Structure formats: C-alpha cells, structure tokens
Amino acid sequence: MRHLLSAGDLSRDEATLILDTARELAQAGARSVKKFPTLRGRTVVNLFYEDSTRTRTSFELAAKRLSADVINFSAKGSSVAKGESLKDTALTLQAMGADGVVIRHSASGAAHRLSGWVDGSVVNAGDGTHEHPTQALLDVYTMRERMGRLDGLRVAIVGDVRHSRVARSNVLLLHTLGAEVTLVAPPTLVPVSVHTWPCAVSYDLDETLAKSDVVMMLRVQAERMQGAYFPTPREYSRRYGLDGERFAKMHDEAIVMHPGPMVRGMEISAEVADSPRCTVTEQVANGLSIRMAVLYLLLGGSESAIGA
C-alpha cells in the first residue's frame, strides 16, 4: 500500500492490519512517554485547502507522536491564494523532499491527482463529496472496540448522504469488513449513483432503528447545498433527527455515532448526544491512533510501530 486515497482500495487484510496497528498504538499511548521514534527523519506535509481544525490537528499530532517533521500548509496566506495551481504546489513539495502528504481539498479527486505528481505517499483527508478514508477507519475501529465484531453488524447511516464523503467511505469499508449498511435519508439527499453502492436504502428512520446495532448520524452540510433539499430544519428533525423517543426504540446494546461537528436539536438531541452510548468523543480519540497507524504503515518499515 503506497497511498490511502479511498476506503474502497483497502482489502479486508489491509484494513484489519490498520485497525490492529491502531489498537497496538493506542495501548502503548497509555504509558507516560507517548512519543515513538518510528518516523524520525521523515517529513509529513499537511496540505489543507479547506478549513479543518479537528482533522488537521489529529494528523499533525499523529505525525509528531511518531517523531516525524511536520509542515502545515494552508491555502490561506500561501502561494495558493496568489493563484498557484495544485500541480505547482505539488512540485514544490516534491522539491522539498516530502515523504508523505496529507491533503484535504474541496474538489473530488484532488488526492488522486496529487498522487500522480509526487513521489511520496498521499493520504486523502477528505476530497469534496467523494471520500474521507481515515474517518471511516476510525469509525470502524470505534465500532469494533464497542461491539466486539464487524462481521454481520447492522449499521444505519442517517442524514445528508448526498454531500457526505464520510458516508461513502464508511459504506465501502464496512462492506469489505462484512457489515450490513442501510442508508436512511430524504429522497433529495440520496446520491443518484447510490444503486452502485454496496448497501440498502430506506427513507424511514423509525423502521430502521429497531434492527440497527449502530446508528451513525451525519451532519447536514448546508454549505454544500445550492437549493432547498428539505422544507425546514424542524421538518428534517421530525423525520430524520435522533431524539430521546427514537433512541428508546434502539436495542439496549446499540450505539450512536456522529463524525462531528454535531448540530444539536436538529440532527441529534442533547439527551442522545450526551448519552454513554454516544461515541463522539471516543471517535476523536481513536482518530489519533488510526492516523498514527496509517502514517506508520505508509512511511514506516517492517519494525514494530512502538519500537518494542
């Protein structure tokens, strides 16, 4: 594996290796000295064309925990703001000898294009409405830790599927790992190409809840909407929001997930978001271990990730 561009590129063995490596790193992270020498001398560039405090910080901390040199490159205030193209930026990074480039871009396919211009490994940290593979990996890792299995797990992904790169990556990865996925959304927020995805589709959240082991709520991405996809936020919440009444219909062991940031009161009620069965905070913590594992496996060697 040279790049991580799509969750769909991962085989079952490759995905399991990332999850197992992340678990090893998470357990070792409990010790007093949390830094490993694994990537000493390597350079990782965080190339972010979209604002993202959570994901950029997670990747930066992951690389630093592995002792890599980290360069944060934001489109704002850089040569990009003066009109420099992605290819010219890539060639600049190539000249600087970057071993790994983590890219977030508003254009679907940007990570794939970049991978053809640089010699180092490229990690897709979100490209347009296409994919966000490390988010899917941390979501799946969280499910495996909480539920103890992935094979046969019934997962409902609810909300703005049309604009969600998280949904697509999760569907692909969960299918590879043996889970059964149902997308639940208003008809206007289901992608036209959804028939090619390995999942079922429902427009009825209440019908799906009772038979789901995991319910993943999605953020409504108003900034990507050019028109009205539902009548009002209140109507959306009434039909697709997860409140206490609906939460009570889930079986006792089922968990609730959200990639964040959450819109409380519309996508999810405060009662559900603050429940012990909601894994939002765990997902953030697990994201660090997953990104360390990905960087280690792409840029490291065959030695143990924790130098044991």
Side-chain angles (χ1 to χ4, degrees), residues 217-220 240-242 258 261-263 265-269:
M217 306 303 295
L218 298 174
R219 184 172 71 85
V220 175
Y240 296 100
L242 185 58
H258 196 300
M262 296 180 288
V263 179
M266 179 179 169
E267 302 155 1
I268 188 169
S269 70

Side-chain angles (χ1 to χ4, degrees), residues 18-19 22 134 137-138 141 286-295:
I18 294 172
L19 300 179
T134 60
L137 282 162
L138 74 87
Y141 179 90
N286 292 337
L288 176 60
S289 302
I290 283 292
R291 282 155 185 147
M292 288 176 70
V294 167
L295 291 174

Side-chain angles (χ1 to χ4, degrees), residues 54 82 96 102 131 142 146 183 190 213 221 251 292 308:
R54 188 189 311 234
K82 301 173 185 175
M96 290 178 176
V102 179
E131 280 219 44
T142 304
R146 275 288 191 122
L183 299 174
V190 174
D213 302 305
Q221 302 188 42
H251 71 75
M292 288 176 70

Side-chain angles (χ1 to χ4, degrees), residues 15 20 44 51 60 86 116 120 123 142-143 149 151 235 237 255 307:
D20 290 344
V44 175
D51 293 334
E60 181 179 357
L86 176 61
V123 180
T142 304
M143 291 179 208
R149 65 188 173 92
D151 263 318
E235 175 68 9
S237 181
I255 60 173

